[in-house]
Amino acid sequence: MRSPMRMQRSTVHRPRAVAAIAACLLVLAAPTAAQARGRHGHGAGAAVRVLRLVNEERELAGCDPLTLNRRLSASARRHSGDMAFRRFMSHWGSDGSAPVDRIRRSGYRPAAWGENVAYGYRTPEEVMDAWMTSPSHRRNILDCDYEEMGLGLAEPGDYWTQDFGTAR
């Protein structure tokens, strides 16, 4: 297993008005051409595998499954691409944007949102193992208030972004 130092702390934002939301879904858009050609064969298959792994963990925790959201996925893909191109890992974009800024720019109107990022993990199983052993990342994955998820993956370096949300 890779060192947790390769992951960034997850971020979570949940206004008080949303604290009672209990459903969880997840929606993922088609991968970019670069993702589809990833050196580890990630492409759309990686998103489906991450979604399956996320929902298996959520089921064990008593949460509803997430659905993939194309807008959250677009936000996550752009952030992963930015990190890979500039070779950095952070929740802050190279333009100074916070996760919620990028999520809103994608057209998603979040009532609640969260983000996990990681790099250097070659497969969905590796990155999910790492996220599940980190308390803050695990908390995002198992937050029953989230309904949707988007996933971004970019090369070089296997930069992963997982955006969570509940729409207004």
Side-chain angles (χ1 to χ4, degrees), residues 74-143:
S75 174
R77 282 194 313 269
R78 280 192 294 271
H79 187 56
S80 288
D82 182 37
M83 291 189 298
F85 182 75
R86 291 178 174 77
R87 303 225 179 204
F88 77 98
M89 191 185 75
S90 175
H91 288 289
W92 296 96
S94 63
D95 63 354
S97 62
V100 70
D101 300 326
R102 294 186 301 274
I103 289 168
R104 286 182 179 139
R105 265 190 243 151
S106 73
Y108 191 85
R109 296 190 54 211
W113 61 270
E115 179 175 85
N116 289 344
V117 295
Y119 79 96
Y121 297 94
R122 296 173 56 106
T123 67
E125 292 78 12
E126 285 180 10
V127 76
M128 276 297 295
D129 286 345
W131 280 332
M132 290 305 290
T133 60
S134 164
S136 58
H137 295 90
R138 179 184 183 90
R139 192 168 30 257
N140 271 344
I141 291 166
L142 300 182
D143 188 330

